[in-house]
């Protein structure tokens, strides 16, 4: 075989080996190409399932609901699981912006929403570490996730859709807009159950300062939190937080944002953490709780706690301070009696002050808005107003002051005495008001009817359930009233007969910018201005020369004192043309008497001290009515006989035991809920065992030594005509149910001796 033939054979052999290799490489290339095309097709298919950005509505990441006082100052934020306050670009410092870019997305200003190189680097790093230590998402992708993707899942499909939306977001908004909004919506960690959303909330949570006040070391620490907020939380693990801060500072130096010397200096700075209270601290917490309850009643808890509301309230911080100063100047000793003040603007019903003794830390119960107490003679104003409505002229209508032991048609026996057991003979209703004479007002109540008194009280603004019994006119209410409630009722007189329900909220602004006036009513006229003026002039005299002289403030003012049995509750409720206020004094958790105390000596001085400060420079008088009150002659059995026209109660056996109906079940013990009763349950006072009634006198009613006030209505006994005239028949049988049912275990009251 020649040399040429051998060379050709070798070439054929080499070619035979190369052809299969080339063929194999071609197949592999084809497979890779198909795979890439398939992957690309899959990506495009998944991306095609994502909606366009313009079709989506971004999640509302507004601020926490904020409650403001009447002067615009902040009372506090609504408690929520998330705390957030979006801020402007100008309030986001350069340090915090550069720190976030350096550690989260160093090519932020170069990519168009997706950084493919970062995705590859993150994949390689995570494969080397065997765990997820680095993310490939840009700031734009993270913002898309926060604003447009609800409950994001960690899968490929979500990443693809997220990338598509990020690209579209970059086309729609500038880098500045994207970075500003990212810093307002990213979570920075949870402290005490509240997650700080956005850089402002983070600065307040970890450093108790605004974001614009952050230093370089503080900004670097916060910038490192979003990737793993729990792991790097400085309150939980300071060493991990410091390590992470160092990484952020090194990245800032690598990217030329700071020098190596600045980075080294910042790395050596201590943490200097300070737990913030801005989102948890509340001014006027009693009033804040009151507002919160009203908002939830109106809008529900979901809307209230979701955030974004701006609540403008009516409370005047200056008047709040003045009310507390007045209370503390008389009852600052925590071992002594407590006091509460409520103030209402007569023109619109706005609550201007709601203050009480003690602190929110010591007691969460709002004495001014929740404390139901018996009002004593302060409730006589309801009787006086009812008489004026009935056409009775208080200046000419007279009764005789004397001890009363009556049988009231439809109600049963009623014994009434004056506070000091002193009686002034025949006097007009004006004089009886200035002396706060119980016996004269008892006769007036019977003449005009307990139902009329009840009706008038409701018209003026008393909303607590009334039983419409005779003794209620003297303050013997089963459930009592709150200082806010009775201040609102007196405010109706101050406004000339127009009732405004007390309200603490002016308006609410919603996240979309729409607003709603909370108190929509312009008021309801329930009295003529002449009727209201008649009552006001009498109460003015009471402040000048009656039981309320210690409430004199040197300017026109009207008011009435109130004292319950044994001085367990003392009141002064009054008003000027511009402000109606009530003052209560007593022990909130027990029925402890205040020896020798009366409304005129315990509560009136507090009212005077407060109102002298609260009135400011206003000292105007009450306006004259446009229409005088109409009066007509009013004849009644009691006026015809000087107060003795009603059938006196028959003599009673000297058993000394109060009458109770054995067929009436006592009310269940409510556990001493102070929002329902004026006194919590207490051990019953010792009472002697009643002796059996004499068998030969079965029809004589038992005497009631300790007055039972809340008498239950029954049919008129046989033998009694309307208005109490007796037809000469035998004494009637005792009513089926006469006993007053006080809150369980509370000691009995004697409103017949209230002042």
């Amino acid at each position: 075989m020649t040399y040429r033939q051998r060379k050709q054979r070798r070439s054929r052999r080499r070619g035979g080996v190369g052809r299969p290799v080339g063929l194999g490489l071609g197949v592999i290339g084809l497979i890779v190409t198909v795979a890439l095309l398939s992957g690309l097709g899959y990506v495009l298919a998944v991306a095609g399932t994502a909606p366009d950005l313009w079709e989506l509505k971004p999640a509302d990441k507004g601020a926490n609901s904020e409650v403001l006082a009447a002067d615009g100052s902040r009372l506090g934020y609504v408690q929520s699981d998330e705390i957030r306050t979006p801020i402007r670009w100008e309030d986001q410092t350069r340090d915090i912006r550069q720190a976030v870019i350096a550690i989260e997305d160093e090519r932020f200003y170069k990519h168009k929403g997706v950084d493919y190189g970062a995705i590859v680097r993150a994949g390689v790093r995570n494969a080397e570490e065997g765990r997820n230590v680095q993310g490939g998402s840009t700031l734009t992708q993270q913002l898309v996730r926060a604003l447009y993707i609800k409950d994001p899942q960690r899968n490929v499909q979500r990443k693809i859709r997220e990338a598509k939306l990020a690209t579209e977001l970059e086309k729609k908004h500038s880098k500045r807009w994207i970075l500003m909004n990212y810093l307002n919506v990213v979570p920075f960690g949870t402290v005490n159950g509240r997650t700080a959303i956005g850089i402002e909330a983070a600065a307040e949570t970890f450093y108790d300062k605004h974001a614009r006040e952050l230093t370089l070391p503080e900004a670097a620490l916060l910038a490192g939190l979003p990737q793993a907020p729990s792991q790097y939380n400085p309150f939980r693990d300071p060493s991990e937080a410091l390590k992470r801060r160092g990484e952020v500072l090194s990245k800032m130096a690598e990217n030329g944002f700071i020098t190596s010397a600045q980075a080294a200096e910042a790395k050596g700075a201590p943490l200097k953490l300070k737990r913030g209270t801005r989102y948890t601290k509340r001014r006027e917490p009693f009033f804040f709780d009151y507002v919160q309850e009203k908002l939830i009643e109106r809008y529900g808890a979901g809307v209230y706690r979701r955030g974004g509301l701006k609540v403008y309230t009516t409370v005047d911080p200056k008047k709040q301070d003045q009310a507390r100063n007045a209370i503390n100047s008389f009852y600052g000793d925590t071992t002594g009696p407590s006091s509460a003040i409520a103030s209402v603007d007569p023109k619109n019903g706005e609550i201007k002050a709601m203050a009480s003794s003690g602190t929110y830390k010591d007691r969460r119960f709002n004495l001014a808005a929740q404390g139901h107490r018996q009002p004593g003679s302060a409730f006589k104003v309801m009787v006086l107003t009812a008489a004026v409505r009935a056409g009775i002229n208080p200046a000419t209508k007279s009764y005789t002051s004397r001890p009363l032991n009556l049988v009231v048609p439809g109600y049963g026996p009623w014994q009434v005495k004056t506070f000091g057991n002193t009686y002034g003979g025949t006097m007009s209703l004006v004089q009886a008001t200035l002396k706060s004479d119980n016996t004269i007002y008892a006769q007036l109540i019977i003449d005009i009817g307990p139902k009329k008194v009840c009706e008038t009280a409701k018209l003026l603004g008393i909303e607590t359930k009334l039983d419409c019994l005779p003794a209620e006119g003297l303050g013997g209410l089963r459930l009592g009233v709150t200082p806010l409630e009775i201040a609102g009722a007196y405010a109706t007189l101050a406004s000339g007969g127009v009732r405004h329900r007390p309200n603490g909220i002016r308006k609410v602004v919603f996240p979309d910018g729409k607003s709603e006036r909370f108190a929509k009513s312009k008021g309801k006229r329930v009295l003529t201005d002449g009727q209201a003026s008649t009552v006001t002039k009498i109460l003015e005299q009471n402040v000048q020369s009656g039981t309320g002289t210690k409430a004199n403030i040197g300017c026109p003012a009207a008011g009435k004192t109130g004292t319950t049995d044994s001085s367990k509750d003392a009141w002064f409720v009054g008003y000027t043309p511009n402000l109606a206020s009530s003052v209560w004094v007593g022990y909130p958790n027990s029925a402890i008497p205040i020896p020798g105390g009366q409304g005129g000596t315990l509560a009136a001085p507090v009212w005077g001290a407060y109102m002298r400060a609260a009135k400011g420079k206003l000292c105007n008088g009450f306006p004259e009515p446009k229409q005088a009150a109409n009066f007509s002659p009013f004849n009644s059995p009691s006026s015809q006989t000087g107060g003795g026209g009603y059938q006196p109660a028959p003599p009673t056996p000297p058993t000394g035991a109060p009458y109770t109906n054995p067929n009436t079940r006592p009310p269940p013990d409510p556990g001493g809920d102070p929002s329902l009763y004026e006194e919590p349950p207490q051990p019953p006072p010792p009472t002697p065992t009643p002796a059996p009634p004499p068998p030969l006198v079965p029809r004589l009613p038992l005497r009631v030594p300790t007055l039972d006030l809340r008498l239950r209505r029954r049919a008129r006994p046989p033998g009694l005509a309307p208005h109490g005239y007796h037809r000469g028949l035998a004494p009637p049988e005792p009513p089926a149910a006469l006993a007053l049912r006080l809150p369980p275990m509370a000691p009995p009251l004697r409103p017949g001796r209230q002042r």
Side-chain angles (χ1 to χ4, degrees):
M1 181 180 293
T2 64
Y3 172 77
R4 185 174 182 180
Q5 290 174 332
R6 287 195 300 271
K7 185 176 180 181
Q8 290 175 347
R9 186 172 62 181
R10 284 197 298 269
S11 298
R12 285 196 297 269
R13 288 175 181 173
R14 284 197 297 268
V17 174
R19 278 197 299 271
V21 172
L23 181 61
L25 291 175
V27 171
I28 293 173
L30 179 62
I31 293 173
V32 171
T33 302
V34 171
L36 289 174
L37 291 174
S38 299
L40 180 60
Y42 175 76
V43 169
L44 293 175
V46 173
T49 63
D52 292 328
L53 186 69
W54 62 269
E55 297 177 357
L56 301 177
K57 182 180 180 180
D60 180 13
K61 298 292 183 178
N64 283 71
S65 293
E66 188 177 12
V67 181
L68 306 172
D71 62 358
S73 61
R74 184 188 304 113
L75 294 179
Y77 289 96
V78 173
Q79 301 302 299
S80 174
D81 294 337
E82 293 183 350
I83 53 178
R84 56 186 183 271
T85 302
I87 56 176
R88 304 172 305 164
W89 173 266
E90 292 77 11
D91 293 325
Q92 299 171 349
T93 64
R94 184 179 62 179
D95 285 340
I96 189 63
R97 294 196 295 262
Q98 292 177 343
V100 167
I101 290 173
I103 196 65
E104 289 288 336
D105 188 3
E106 58 186 354
R107 298 187 67 252
F108 174 69
Y109 287 107
K110 298 177 181 178
H111 62 68
K112 300 298 182 181
V114 180
D115 188 350
Y116 299 102
I119 295 175
V120 173
R121 289 193 299 272
V124 173
R125 175 79 186 278
N126 293 337
E128 291 175 351
E129 296 288 338
R131 58 191 179 95
N132 188 16
V133 296
Q134 182 175 335
S137 296
T138 63
L139 295 182
T140 312
Q141 288 176 276
Q142 295 180 51
L143 179 60
V144 163
R145 190 184 312 150
L147 293 181
Y148 298 102
I149 301 178
K150 186 178 181 181
D151 300 325
Q153 300 177 350
R154 298 179 66 88
N155 54 41
V156 176
Q157 291 89 342
R158 189 263 293 172
K159 284 285 188 182
I160 294 172
R161 297 187 184 101
E162 187 181 281
K164 179 205 173 189
L165 294 175
T167 303
E168 294 180 0
L169 190 67
E170 288 269 359
K171 295 177 181 178
K172 183 177 180 180
H173 294 289
S174 66
K175 292 287 186 179
R176 170 172 166 165
W177 185 94
I178 292 171
L179 181 55
M180 179 189 72
N181 281 276
Y182 172 85
L183 287 172
N184 278 329
V185 302
V186 66
F188 283 84
T190 302
V191 176
N192 291 336
R194 297 180 181 88
T195 302
I197 304 295
I199 189 60
E200 177 73 4
E204 291 286 351
T205 299
F206 293 100
Y207 291 106
D208 193 25
K209 61 173 62 175
H210 293 290
R212 62 177 179 270
E213 300 169 339
L214 292 171
T215 64
L216 174 60
E218 294 166 348
L221 184 138
L222 295 181
L225 296 180
Q227 187 180 95
S230 297
Q231 179 181 348
Y232 300 132
N233 188 323
F235 289 127
R236 183 177 301 173
D237 194 338
S239 60
E240 279 293 317
L242 285 171
K243 181 180 177 182
R244 178 64 172 171
R245 186 185 72 176
E247 293 175 2
V248 175
L249 291 168
S250 296
K251 277 287 186 180
M252 292 181 72
E254 288 177 16
N255 285 274
F257 293 134
I258 58 176
T259 65
S260 299
Q262 289 174 319
E265 182 182 357
K267 288 178 182 179
L271 283 177
K272 290 185 178 180
L273 300 174
K274 184 180 180 183
R275 198 181 297 269
T277 59
R278 176 184 176 188
Y279 293 95
T280 57
K281 185 178 180 180
R282 298 183 297 175
R283 295 166 54 209
E284 311 302 345
F286 292 111
F287 180 77
F288 196 103
D289 284 352
Y290 173 84
V291 168
Q292 176 174 274
E293 291 172 5
K294 297 302 179 184
L295 289 170
I296 291 176
E297 286 177 10
R298 174 73 67 90
Y299 304 116
V303 172
Y304 174 69
R305 299 192 185 281
R306 192 175 300 129
L309 303 179
K310 213 158 194 178
V311 183
Y312 294 86
T313 71
T314 64
V315 73
D316 185 339
K318 187 176 180 180
K319 286 184 173 59
Q320 283 286 98
D321 292 338
Q322 292 164 344
R324 272 190 294 269
N325 291 339
I327 290 172
N328 292 333
S329 63
F330 290 90
Y331 302 105
D333 184 359
T334 56
T335 62
S338 296
S339 182
I341 293 177
S343 283
V344 175
D345 188 335
K347 297 188 297 297
N348 48 32
E350 291 187 350
I351 300 170
K352 294 302 179 183
M354 182 187 288
S356 59
S357 301
T359 64
Y360 191 75
K361 181 180 179 181
D362 300 327
R363 178 182 59 242
R364 301 295 176 91
F365 187 71
N366 188 341
L367 294 175
Q370 297 174 300
H372 285 249
R373 309 289 293 206
Q374 290 200 354
S377 291
F379 214 74
K380 287 176 183 172
V381 171
M382 312 302 160
V383 183
L384 178 61
T385 306
V388 173
R389 288 182 66 224
I392 296 175
N393 189 338
T396 60
K397 180 65 176 177
S398 63
Y399 295 90
T400 298
S401 173
R402 54 177 292 179
L404 300 178
N405 186 14
L406 307 174
V407 174
V408 183
Y411 298 95
W414 194 20
Q415 297 176 347
V416 185
K417 299 179 180 180
T418 61
F419 183 84
N421 283 320
T422 58
Y423 304 91
T426 301
M427 64 179 74
S428 69
L429 292 181
V430 175
Q431 294 169 314
T433 303
L434 304 190
K435 293 181 178 295
S436 198
D437 192 295
N438 292 332
T439 64
I440 287 182
Y441 263 87
Q443 296 170 69
L444 178 60
I445 291 166
I446 297 171
D447 279 350
I448 60 178
K451 282 190 174 181
K452 290 294 183 182
V453 175
C454 189
E455 176 186 292
T456 300
K458 292 178 180 178
L459 283 177
L460 292 181
I462 298 299
E463 297 185 347
T464 298
K465 179 177 174 55
L466 301 174
D467 298 317
C468 301
L469 303 175
E472 285 183 336
L474 302 183
L477 278 64
R478 177 169 57 91
L479 300 180
V481 293
T482 68
L484 177 61
E485 185 178 12
I486 200 167
Y490 274 58
T492 302
L493 296 169
S495 68
V498 179
R499 185 189 71 208
H500 298 272
R501 175 175 291 182
N503 66 88
I505 303 172
R506 283 180 179 167
K507 71 174 180 177
V508 177
V509 179
F510 297 94
D512 60 2
K514 296 181 180 179
S515 64
E516 179 182 14
R517 299 292 300 183
F518 205 80
K520 300 178 181 179
S521 173
K522 295 182 179 180
K524 179 180 179 181
R525 179 164 291 283
V526 296
L527 303 173
T528 68
D529 59 346
Q531 292 169 340
S533 178
T534 299
V535 177
T536 295
K537 289 178 180 178
I538 297 173
L539 298 183
E540 275 192 278
Q541 294 182 54
N542 190 52
V543 172
Q544 295 164 4
S545 58
T547 60
T549 54
K550 291 193 176 181
N552 196 322
I553 59 175
C555 290
K560 184 70 183 73
T561 55
T563 311
T564 60
D565 185 58
S566 302
S567 302
K568 293 191 289 289
D569 298 283
W571 293 80
F572 188 87
V573 189
Y575 52 92
T576 67
N578 311 297
L579 194 65
S581 302
S582 66
V583 173
W584 167 83
V585 176
Y587 288 88
N589 297 322
S590 57
I592 300 176
I594 306 174
Q598 300 177 32
T601 57
L602 295 176
V606 180
W607 191 94
Y610 165 62
M611 291 294 285
R612 273 190 288 272
K615 71 177 179 61
K617 298 180 180 180
L618 297 176
C619 199
N620 53 302
F622 293 97
E624 289 297 320
K626 297 178 181 178
Q627 178 184 359
N630 293 322
F631 299 124
S632 58
F634 185 88
N635 296 320
S636 65
S638 54
S639 62
Q640 293 172 7
T641 59
Y646 294 100
Q647 176 65 28
T652 58
T655 61
Y659 174 81
T660 56
N661 185 353
N663 298 318
T664 303
R665 292 178 178 270
D669 184 355
D673 184 356
S675 67
L676 298 179
Y677 300 100
E678 85 284 5
E679 297 166 357
Q682 296 185 48
T687 56
T689 304
L696 298 180
V697 194
R699 298 173 66 84
L700 290 178
L702 297 177
R703 190 170 71 86
V704 188
T706 300
L707 179 59
D708 291 327
L709 293 179
R710 294 156 188 84
L711 309 179
R712 302 188 179 182
R713 182 174 297 281
R714 63 180 293 270
R716 185 186 310 119
L720 285 182
H723 308 300
Y725 290 115
H726 198 270
R727 293 187 178 134
L729 301 179
E733 296 239 7
L738 301 180
L740 162 63
R741 293 296 181 186
L742 286 173
M745 311 305 289
L749 303 174
R750 298 189 182 91
R753 298 184 61 189
Q754 297 182 16
R755 188 182 182 108

